[in-house]
Each structure stands twice: as C-alpha cells, then as structure tokens.
Amino acid sequence: MASQPSAEPRARMHLDTVQNHSFASQSVPMPRLIAHLDMDAFYASVELLRYPDLRGRAVVIGGGRRHQPASQADGTRTYSLLRNYTGRGVITTSTYEARALGVFSAMGTMKAAKLAPDAVLLPVDFEQYRHYSRLFKAAVRAVAPIVEDRGIDEIYIDLTDLPGAQLDAGRALAQQFKDAVFDATGGLTCSIGVTSNKLLSKLASELDKPNGLTLLGADDIATRIWPLAAKKVNGIGPKASEKLATFGLHTVGDIAAAEPQWLIEHFGNSYGAWLHDASHGRDDRPVVTFSEPKSISRETTFERDLHAVRDRAALGDIFTELCVKLADDLARKGYASRTIGIKLRFDDFKIITRDLSLPAHTMDAKTIRRAAGECLKRVDLSRRLRLLGVRAGALATLAELVAPLHTGASGATVLAVREPPASYNLPLFDTPPLA
C-alpha cells in the first residue's frame, strides 16, 4: 500500500500553485496595435463608380447642379469641363490624375481651371458619399468592434486584442479590412497604416497611397517619419508650421532634434512638450468609440459675391435656410444649443465670427435665426460676402436637459425640466447695419 505524502510537501505544492497563478494573472499586456484607415480620394472614387468611363481622366468634384452629366441618345454622356467654369466655388476633392496637374481640395475652382482646363467637373453629391461611408464602416465593424469614427472617409481601429493581430503586427487583419471595404463598396480602395499609436498610424496611411498598406515600428520613425514636412503631423497647423520655419525647423526630424526645454520656452509648456513627444512618435490616446460633438454648423459658399444691401433678399433667404437646416440637424442628433454663432468670409478672404450666448438651450429654428441675426448686427457689412455660416455651440443632449420622471401633486407622471423656458426676444435682422 502506497504511503500518503507528508503534510509538508502538500503545503509546498499548494504554495507553488498559488504563486504560479499569481504570475499568470500579472502577465505583461500585449503591445498596442492601432490602424488608421483612410479612403482613397473618396468623393472622386465614388463618382468613378457611377461614371466608370471617367477612369484614368483628371476629374474634379466641386461643381453645382448645372454641372450634372447629360445622357445622350446613344447611351454616352457629356461632361462639363473645368475650362468653362465661372463662379466662386472651391474644389472639394480631385482624382489622382488631377492632383498630378496641381489640383487639390480647398483650391479655388477658377485657379484649378487654369491648371487643368480639360479636367471633368462634377457636382458634389453628399448623400451618395454618406451612403458609401456607412458601407465601408459597417464592413470594418463586422470584423473589429473598437472603431473610432473620424469623419466621412477615415476611421481608427484598435487591433491589439483581435485574434492573430500580434502574430504579424496586424498585416493580415489590415489586408482583411481592405478586402472587406472593396467588396462592400463595389470597388473602392483604401490605405491603411498600422503602428503602435494613432499619431503614427495616420501618418503611415498617407505614405503609400493609393491602395497602400504600411506597417511601421519604432525603428522606422527616423527613416520614414522624420523626413516628412512638419505640417504633415496632425496638430501642427499653418501658424505653428510658420513659426517653426522661422527657427529653421521644417521637418519632423528637425523638431525631434530640438531640445525639449527649448521647445517649451518657445511654444509653451503644453504644446512644446507635445511637439517633442509627437516628433518622436509618442502618443497614448486611446481609440474612442464615441465622443460628443463640440458644435454643429451649416455654411455655404456663394457662386458670386453678395452684398448685404443690394442682395438683401437673397441673403435673407439663404440665412433662414441655413438656420432651419441647423435646427433640423440638432433635432435629428438629439442636441440643443446655448451658443449661436455666425461665420462670414468676405471678398478679400477675411473671416469674421461672432457668437451669442442664450439664457436657455434651444433647438428652435426661429430662435436660432433671431440669435444669428443679432450676431450679424455686430459686423461691418460694407464688403461683399463669399461665405455665410451658422453654428450651434455649448451643446447639451436632451437627456441632460430633462430631469427624470416624477409624480406631480395630482398623481400624474410629469417631466421636470431643469432649464426655464426662453424669455428673450431677439429681433430678426430685417435690415443690415449699414445704410
């Protein structure tokens, strides 16, 4: 008969089991893998799906309704050419063939016409672009649950804990996303960058466009990131880029070579420290699946410059329409605003903004128009206008403004509203402030 083990070995065996379990529960977390997916020339590519006969040609998106292609009896189409454009519009986007001629987004359409007179001009169709945006995002979310929406044509994806991601630094998954997007949209391509953080991944997704797949590690920063222009980094805007240039800092590598304390002395504690971290590829921001908007706005650029007095009727109609659409946006998204603002761009390209804080949140079109009209009274309108916009800020969700249900004196269930009803009476802008 076998002898029983002594109490001492049994105690030692139990201790070893506890210790092993403790080590397993304190395992080192997996390295972060963040992907940035950016659709290739998104608006233009959507249009090429609709008009495949334009593939390989320089195509510009940014026209109006009058630039809609016309179908002919023989089944062919005739297109508007950029050389025939007259107006004050700006380019929304362009195909890579047009970009090779120097035509890029945000460029004045008249200027673009001089660079690429034979380029095809198509009207903007945001409804169609939003449709394809929903398609490609749904295709990615079917594979990856942690997705941050960054706009109509780009998203961040957290690959860290997805099966197989750590085996090849996310390459197979990134290719799976590209294939899924292509199939779901009927042929649209995208470019993906995969790195350890959002800042690097956004840069990486631009390196091998179009239809690129770029993986970068820490050892690649010096060779692939540092040679880039400083303005390529998301967070280094025109003013910061201009100031950096005055000190001889033109590339990301130039910033990385600067002493951290020098950056802080010249750019402030927060931004200087961020410049140092960003230039070395450091970014610990998480992929956020939802975030509240800071503001919602509507704006329009006029086909011709408008004057506040001579074009008063047209401006009044446009102003009202913008306010109504903004109110609809607020209602559809479930927000109310306590700050209404306007944005004006004049014929000399100077931009003016004005804001007004209200005593209570609103999502009412008439209230928004009255508040925006009050803002308008504080602006010198002697110059012609190129652009007019209305903005709703200081947003709150309807759930935040309405308290939980409670029982009234009669026993009936009622809503308790935290904010009092608006009691202000702002006049509509019936006449501009100038004679």
Side-chain angles (χ1 to χ4, degrees):
M1 181 176 177
S3 60
Q4 296 292 326
S6 65
E8 183 179 356
R10 282 202 302 271
R12 187 179 299 111
M13 290 168 57
H14 175 70
L15 179 61
D16 290 343
T17 301
V18 171
Q19 289 176 334
N20 289 336
H21 175 75
S22 176
F23 290 145
S25 65
Q26 298 178 15
S27 58
V28 177
M30 290 183 288
R32 283 213 310 167
L33 285 175
I34 308 299
H36 180 255
L37 184 154
D38 191 22
M39 300 300 290
D40 296 325
F42 184 51
Y43 295 175
S45 297
V46 170
E47 296 296 347
L48 292 181
L49 287 181
R50 182 159 37 186
Y51 307 116
D53 50 311
L54 293 179
R55 292 191 181 279
R57 295 183 62 178
V59 177
V60 169
I61 312 299
R65 294 177 182 176
R66 69 181 187 274
H67 302 110
Q68 192 72 34
S71 298
Q72 304 301 308
D74 60 359
T76 61
R77 302 184 187 92
T78 57
Y79 298 99
S80 298
L81 296 181
L82 206 51
R83 68 168 67 250
N84 300 320
Y85 178 84
T86 57
R88 297 288 189 174
V90 295
I91 301 301
T92 302
T93 190
S94 57
T95 60
Y96 289 101
E97 290 80 4
R99 295 179 189 186
L101 299 174
V103 178
F104 296 91
S105 61
M107 176 182 289
T109 310
M110 293 293 286
K111 179 180 179 180
K114 296 179 180 179
L115 296 173
D118 294 321
V120 171
L121 178 62
L122 294 176
V124 179
D125 187 349
F126 285 111
E127 183 177 348
Q128 190 78 340
Y129 308 148
R130 284 191 289 267
H131 168 71
Y132 279 94
S133 178
R134 290 190 291 270
L135 289 180
F136 93 76
K137 291 171 185 176
V140 173
R141 287 192 172 100
V143 180
I146 305 179
V147 175
E148 179 177 338
D149 196 327
R150 294 303 300 169
I152 196 169
D153 62 349
E154 62 175 316
I155 54 177
Y156 288 105
I157 315 159
D158 193 333
L159 313 182
T160 306
D161 296 319
L162 293 181
Q166 300 292 337
L167 298 178
D168 61 356
R171 179 179 293 278
L173 274 171
Q175 185 60 54
Q176 185 178 348
F177 295 144
K178 288 170 62 66
D179 295 340
V181 167
F182 187 89
D183 293 340
T185 59
L188 296 182
T189 65
C190 63
S191 295
I192 299 181
V194 184
T195 74
S196 62
N197 61 59
K198 292 163 70 172
L199 183 143
L200 286 176
S201 293
K202 185 172 179 64
L203 291 169
S205 67
E206 292 284 339
L207 292 177
D208 299 307
K209 270 185 169 290
N211 201 21
L213 199 173
T214 307
L215 278 64
L216 296 183
D219 295 340
D220 299 311
I221 293 176
T223 56
R224 303 215 64 183
I225 300 300
W226 283 357
L228 298 176
K231 64 182 180 182
K232 290 288 187 180
V233 178
N234 189 31
I236 299 181
K239 290 184 179 179
S241 181
E242 183 178 342
K243 184 176 179 179
L244 286 165
T246 62
F247 294 114
L249 306 181
H250 302 282
T251 68
V252 179
D254 293 337
I255 301 173
E259 290 294 330
Q261 189 57 41
W262 184 91
L263 290 171
I264 290 172
E265 289 174 359
H266 289 83
F267 293 90
N269 289 333
S270 178
Y271 194 66
W274 177 83
L275 283 172
H276 176 72
D277 286 341
S279 65
H280 287 274
R282 294 192 284 269
D283 177 23
D284 59 2
R285 292 174 299 156
V287 173
V288 180
T289 56
F290 176 77
S291 62
E292 298 284 0
K294 295 182 179 179
S295 65
I296 298 174
S297 62
R298 282 275 185 168
E299 63 181 44
T300 184
T301 300
F302 308 131
E303 288 289 335
R304 63 178 179 86
D305 296 342
L306 300 180
H307 193 275
V309 175
R310 290 183 284 277
D311 299 299
R312 171 182 162 191
L315 277 171
D317 291 342
I318 294 169
F319 201 47
T320 298
E321 183 181 7
L322 288 172
C323 293
V324 169
K325 288 183 176 180
L326 180 58
D328 290 342
D329 292 341
L330 289 169
R332 187 177 67 256
K333 297 178 181 180
Y335 290 98
S337 168
R338 198 166 184 174
T339 300
I340 301 300
I342 61 170
K343 174 183 175 182
L344 307 172
R345 180 185 293 137
F346 294 97
D347 56 2
D348 60 354
F349 288 91
K350 182 179 181 181
I351 295 176
I352 295 291
T353 60
R354 295 290 185 270
D355 294 290
L356 178 68
S357 294
L358 306 177
H361 285 81
T362 186
M363 54 193 297
D364 174 66
K366 186 176 180 180
T367 302
I368 292 172
R369 190 181 190 278
R370 285 177 173 173
E374 188 72 8
C375 292
L376 198 66
K377 291 175 179 287
R378 295 152 47 199
V379 179
D380 179 359
L381 297 176
S382 57
R383 298 196 69 96
R384 289 181 173 271
L385 292 167
R386 293 177 60 94
L387 175 146
L388 176 62
V390 184
R391 183 182 69 88
L395 301 179
T397 64
L398 300 185
E400 292 171 333
L401 297 177
V402 180
L405 294 170
H406 71 88
T407 302
S410 63
T413 301
V414 297
L415 287 173
V417 181
R418 296 196 189 104
E419 299 241 15
S423 58
Y424 46 87
N425 184 24
L426 299 176
L428 290 169
F429 76 108
D430 292 326
T431 56
L434 300 176

